[in-house]
Amino acid sequence: MHHLLCILFAALQATLLVGSPIEGPNAPLLAAPLAGGEYALPTSIIPQTYEIWITPHFENAPVDSKQFTFDGTVEITAEVSRAATKIIQLHAYDMELISVVVTKIGDPLPTVSIGRPLITRDDKHFLNIPVISRLNVGDLLNIRINYLGKLNNELDGFYLSSYINFRGEKKWLGVTQFEPTGARRAFPCFDEPSMKATFKLHIAREPLRDVTANMAVLQATNSLVDEFHKDWVWVDFEESVVMSTYLVAFAVHDFGYIGHSTNENFGILARREFIDSSTSYALNVSPLILEKLEIFTNVPYDPKMKVDQIALPDFAAGAMENWGFITYREVNLLHDKFFSTSANKQRIVTVVTHELAHQWFGNLVTPEWWSEIWLNEGFATYFEYFTAATVENTFQLENAFIMDELQPVLESDSRDNTRSMTSTVTNPASATAVFDNIAYNKGAVIVRLLINMMGEIPFRNGIKIYLTDNAYGSVTKDDLWTALESTMPDNILPPEVSLKTVMDSWTENPGYPLITVTRNYENNEINFEQQRFFSAKKSSPSPGQWHVPITLVTEQNSGDFSSFIIRNWTLPNDIMKLTNVQNLKENEWLIVNPKQIGYYRVNYDETNWKLILAALNSDEGWNKITEINRAQLIDDSMALAKGNYLGYDIALSTTEYLEKETAYLPWYTAIKAFSFLGDRLFNEEEASRTFYTEYVKMKLDPLFEDVNGFTYSTSDDHVTRLRRNLALYWSCNLGYSTCKSTARNLFQEWKVRSSPDFYNPIDPDLRSVVYCHGMQNADDFEFLFERYTKAQHMPSEMSTILTALGCAPSDDLLKRVLNETIKEIDSLIRSQDTRDAFVGVLRNPEGVDVALDFLVNKFAEIKVTYQAFGSVTRLFSAIAPKLNTDEQKKKLKDFLTSYPNEPDNIKAAVRAAIAVVEDNIAWLNKNKKTVVGFFESRVNSSAVVALFSPIVLIFAIFATWWT
């Protein structure tokens, strides 16, 4: 007993009462970090286990000062891995330390004397605990920290969310988002992805609330006995598997729960009113998807882990893969057949697949540092299409991959300021910034290339090795290359070149190649030469640094579009030649990169372009080219023309065949190209805009007829519904009278309903068109805005209306929408949705200047409320493509002067936006005459044909009668 009292007394002496966090001195004698430079923790102390107690206080806190805070205690078991450690350094942020005690586990003299712990006030977020006692390698430490945290409103860490229930009551909940650096706001921890440990959570809840976390509940006990927490319950959870801090998750809520009818491992949590109406789709597809992923990887899902999924009213990212407890925005998990669109249904199945894929790629095996986050996001993004396609095989998800992943990253990765897939990450801001389309889109494109290059079976065998050899650990890309190299088939790679060398050329170099194909039509020799592709061509070409597998299809062998046969490789700084290609004749076309498996753009000599154009414009030849490659020809040629690699006479000619085209992917690609041209011509004289509009309408009319206008059928397939939405939206955009009048009539029919919030006669897939183009005046806007305020129980409907509000018919109404996004109190637009509102205004050509003035004049307020993942910097990248004038450029430049103290990532985003505007202005000066001339000639030619057709018919009839 005496010995125990001595230990307790010594521990008491080692306990330090700490005030508000203050700046700490630079720590001496830190071990060299693994990565991240000065922002990385030393590896002298390695965590093994965490046990965490959290007591959150909401609106019914025992005292006002406790409202929307939480009391926390964390006990960390950690091992000393290096001698002469004079400091214990971990992370803590946005909290007040109450006490810190450090003891040695299993030591007869366990007390560790420490100095005053301090949390740095900079963005390193270090909690430094000076050590006075000597620590030896192999010592096991218990670090116990009591602290007070904040339930913040920044959608990060342990934060507040709320909703209004059907009784009009505001309900509060506390939820988490820890990736990349949010865990340190909920509990002091070693908050780096490679510092894995197990976690045991204990979370207190008041009556009428529940708690859910990564693991199953172990027990719930009424052990809070003080007068302020009467009837509260401690909920104890099972210990987790070994995982990173960013994957820990918990929520304190009053939601309903529904389990899968036959698989008890799966369940969905949501507001109670959604449980019966909106959860069945995600609940039913989730086990199917997980099974497909288990089959593909040949690695079973960890049997200790459940698969709970929760739909949250406020969530910064689209979803988060927390192991065993996946969090989503409501619109990405809940599907209501009366309100959800076909696009929303597709979004749900792909997002669910993405997050389930992370259970292997990210959770089981984790990148050592954020610089290679593409090892998580690239794989998950690939699977979200190609695994989801095995469950929803009518959604044409391979084509969706081209639209949503490949084409966008080909655009962004061609800019001067792009980054490589493996990039330097230091501070929290740069850790957030790498969650971009280089990690997601480009990562997925490279995974797709790898699978096709190796073949699915060898790739799957390599992935099994990668996952099993590194399970519950952390990796670099070299671990992936090693595993895949071991199952790589022979005679695939260039001679004497390793898989690592090939793949590093894609992951270490920013950008991607342009392959220029030049045919010698006399001897059937073809040259393939690479250079780096830029959105604006440089005066001196930048040599290509990639190992590029060349695949091709000839007119004689057009059935080969579905096969991936590498003909040869173009190597860095080299020209590759092919001869006698499939007996290619001089009057036959050649298309490189069938199905766009390779990550590059293709340019041809003029003769081959003309052969391709002839095929596209022939009644029999155009559909011998697959949908993906018809889209590729439009996308590549337009990008080449925009960048001054190809003339617009050829690029625009790839769109002439479109009156025969009814497929979704080529039309989506063409609309994107037309949208760029329309944005450029918006501020130009009326004649230029008219020729553009008439040309696009002329091409679009047959598609409008093919989808039967606004007339829909319950038997319409998924892609038909997507095609109809595209055709209608753009027909109305272009002023097609039938489209506009029908949208107005449908809007008014809805408007006069006695209960428009519950009885909406407009099909969900038509609503985005009708809401936008049916809104004619301020009264219509007020009606639609009121519908938004009353749609809190319909997440998909809220999203549709919010975007449509950007079609408001006056600047004042558009300003009202934007100003609603910066209200800190009682805003009708949630913080997670602010960027969507901004982009909705941007889609309206009349709203561009309104949005720009709002961005540069209200930036201080914007920073407070635009809390969605990376929203603030992405506002500049969203608006830049819409800007064309020197006046608009000046406003961005003046912004840099007005806000000189903004972080580097903000300044970089503004400078990148200015560069885009300069490119847009230069484009107009160089290309306007050619582009408008093309549209004018085609429109006038069509008018002549239309004028003479009746005359020709009359003469034909007369001639027939005469004979």
mmCIF file of all heavy atoms in Angstrom, residues 7-8 66 145 165 187 202 230 456 513 531 579 812:
data_model
loop_
_atom_site.group_PDB
_atom_site.id
_atom_site.type_symbol
_atom_site.label_atom_id
_atom_site.label_comp_id
_atom_site.label_asym_id
_atom_site.label_seq_id
_atom_site.Cartn_x
_atom_site.Cartn_y
_atom_site.Cartn_z
ATOM 1 N N ILE A 7 3.790 5.982 -5.612
ATOM 2 C CA ILE A 7 3.586 6.110 -7.057
ATOM 3 C C ILE A 7 2.545 7.187 -7.348
ATOM 4 O O ILE A 7 2.726 8.052 -8.213
ATOM 5 C CB ILE A 7 3.161 4.766 -7.659
ATOM 6 C CG1 ILE A 7 4.323 3.773 -7.562
ATOM 7 C CG2 ILE A 7 2.696 4.925 -9.103
ATOM 8 C CD1 ILE A 7 3.955 2.386 -7.999
ATOM 9 N N LEU A 8 1.435 7.169 -6.566
ATOM 10 C CA LEU A 8 0.383 8.152 -6.784
ATOM 11 C C LEU A 8 0.877 9.574 -6.503
ATOM 12 O O LEU A 8 0.575 10.512 -7.227
ATOM 13 C CB LEU A 8 -0.827 7.835 -5.893
ATOM 14 C CG LEU A 8 -1.613 6.575 -6.283
ATOM 15 C CD1 LEU A 8 -2.663 6.278 -5.218
ATOM 16 C CD2 LEU A 8 -2.265 6.751 -7.635
ATOM 17 N N LYS A 66 -19.852 25.790 -20.993
ATOM 18 C CA LYS A 66 -19.612 24.449 -21.526
ATOM 19 C C LYS A 66 -20.372 24.175 -22.820
ATOM 20 O O LYS A 66 -20.146 23.162 -23.474
ATOM 21 C CB LYS A 66 -20.030 23.387 -20.497
ATOM 22 C CG LYS A 66 -19.092 23.248 -19.317
ATOM 23 C CD LYS A 66 -17.919 22.362 -19.685
ATOM 24 C CE LYS A 66 -17.109 21.964 -18.470
ATOM 25 N NZ LYS A 66 -15.970 21.110 -18.822
ATOM 26 N N ILE A 145 -3.570 12.766 -21.064
ATOM 27 C CA ILE A 145 -3.822 14.196 -21.238
ATOM 28 C C ILE A 145 -5.304 14.473 -21.038
ATOM 29 O O ILE A 145 -6.157 13.831 -21.653
ATOM 30 C CB ILE A 145 -3.391 14.659 -22.651
ATOM 31 C CG1 ILE A 145 -1.918 14.300 -22.910
ATOM 32 C CG2 ILE A 145 -3.625 16.155 -22.835
ATOM 33 C CD1 ILE A 145 -1.493 14.505 -24.352
ATOM 34 N N ASN A 165 -36.187 19.287 -37.710
ATOM 35 C CA ASN A 165 -37.027 18.110 -37.924
ATOM 36 C C ASN A 165 -38.428 18.523 -38.371
ATOM 37 O O ASN A 165 -38.740 19.719 -38.512
ATOM 38 C CB ASN A 165 -37.043 17.211 -36.688
ATOM 39 C CG ASN A 165 -37.757 17.858 -35.498
ATOM 40 O OD1 ASN A 165 -38.433 18.879 -35.624
ATOM 41 N ND2 ASN A 165 -37.610 17.247 -34.329
ATOM 42 N N PHE A 187 -8.575 15.069 -30.249
ATOM 43 C CA PHE A 187 -7.781 14.508 -29.165
ATOM 44 C C PHE A 187 -6.309 14.656 -29.517
ATOM 45 O O PHE A 187 -5.931 14.537 -30.689
ATOM 46 C CB PHE A 187 -8.133 13.034 -28.888
ATOM 47 C CG PHE A 187 -8.038 12.139 -30.083
ATOM 48 C CD1 PHE A 187 -6.879 11.401 -30.351
ATOM 49 C CD2 PHE A 187 -9.115 11.995 -30.954
ATOM 50 C CE1 PHE A 187 -6.795 10.564 -31.444
ATOM 51 C CE2 PHE A 187 -9.037 11.159 -32.057
ATOM 52 C CZ PHE A 187 -7.881 10.437 -32.305
ATOM 53 N N HIS A 202 -14.524 5.785 -25.674
ATOM 54 C CA HIS A 202 -15.585 5.860 -24.667
ATOM 55 C C HIS A 202 -16.217 7.235 -24.828
ATOM 56 O O HIS A 202 -15.558 8.253 -24.592
ATOM 57 C CB HIS A 202 -15.041 5.708 -23.250
ATOM 58 C CG HIS A 202 -14.092 4.559 -23.077
ATOM 59 N ND1 HIS A 202 -14.505 3.292 -22.725
ATOM 60 C CD2 HIS A 202 -12.738 4.490 -23.221
ATOM 61 C CE1 HIS A 202 -13.453 2.495 -22.644
ATOM 62 N NE2 HIS A 202 -12.373 3.201 -22.955
ATOM 63 N N LYS A 230 -26.716 13.650 -14.836
ATOM 64 C CA LYS A 230 -27.670 12.640 -14.386
ATOM 65 C C LYS A 230 -28.332 11.987 -15.605
ATOM 66 O O LYS A 230 -28.724 12.656 -16.553
ATOM 67 C CB LYS A 230 -28.738 13.282 -13.496
ATOM 68 C CG LYS A 230 -29.699 12.280 -12.873
ATOM 69 C CD LYS A 230 -30.688 12.980 -11.971
ATOM 70 C CE LYS A 230 -31.642 11.977 -11.339
ATOM 71 N NZ LYS A 230 -32.637 12.655 -10.454
ATOM 72 N N GLU A 456 -5.841 -7.997 -66.627
ATOM 73 C CA GLU A 456 -6.526 -7.953 -65.337
ATOM 74 C C GLU A 456 -6.019 -9.004 -64.354
ATOM 75 O O GLU A 456 -5.799 -8.716 -63.173
ATOM 76 C CB GLU A 456 -8.039 -8.108 -65.528
ATOM 77 C CG GLU A 456 -8.791 -8.007 -64.201
ATOM 78 C CD GLU A 456 -10.289 -8.084 -64.357
ATOM 79 O OE1 GLU A 456 -10.829 -7.327 -65.201
ATOM 80 O OE2 GLU A 456 -10.921 -8.884 -63.637
ATOM 81 N N PRO A 513 2.092 13.769 -72.087
ATOM 82 C CA PRO A 513 2.616 14.009 -73.433
ATOM 83 C C PRO A 513 1.542 14.280 -74.485
ATOM 84 O O PRO A 513 0.397 13.849 -74.370
ATOM 85 C CB PRO A 513 3.352 12.702 -73.751
ATOM 86 C CG PRO A 513 2.648 11.667 -72.940
ATOM 87 C CD PRO A 513 2.132 12.352 -71.709
ATOM 88 N N GLN A 531 6.079 15.260 -76.916
ATOM 89 C CA GLN A 531 6.504 16.465 -76.219
ATOM 90 C C GLN A 531 5.468 16.728 -75.138
ATOM 91 O O GLN A 531 4.373 16.165 -75.163
ATOM 92 C CB GLN A 531 6.585 17.669 -77.166
ATOM 93 C CG GLN A 531 5.245 18.030 -77.821
ATOM 94 C CD GLN A 531 5.338 19.251 -78.704
ATOM 95 O OE1 GLN A 531 5.509 20.363 -78.211
ATOM 96 N NE2 GLN A 531 5.232 19.037 -80.021
ATOM 97 N N THR A 579 6.440 0.541 -89.172
ATOM 98 C CA THR A 579 6.318 0.320 -90.617
ATOM 99 C C THR A 579 5.328 -0.797 -90.893
ATOM 100 O O THR A 579 5.120 -1.692 -90.068
ATOM 101 C CB THR A 579 7.681 -0.058 -91.237
ATOM 102 O OG1 THR A 579 8.187 -1.221 -90.582
ATOM 103 C CG2 THR A 579 8.683 1.083 -91.087
ATOM 104 N N ASP A 812 -29.677 41.785 -58.995
ATOM 105 C CA ASP A 812 -30.027 41.910 -57.574
ATOM 106 C C ASP A 812 -30.397 40.558 -56.976
ATOM 107 O O ASP A 812 -30.026 40.251 -55.832
ATOM 108 C CB ASP A 812 -31.188 42.892 -57.403
ATOM 109 C CG ASP A 812 -30.761 44.348 -57.600
ATOM 110 O OD1 ASP A 812 -29.544 44.614 -57.525
ATOM 111 O OD2 ASP A 812 -31.640 45.190 -57.837
#
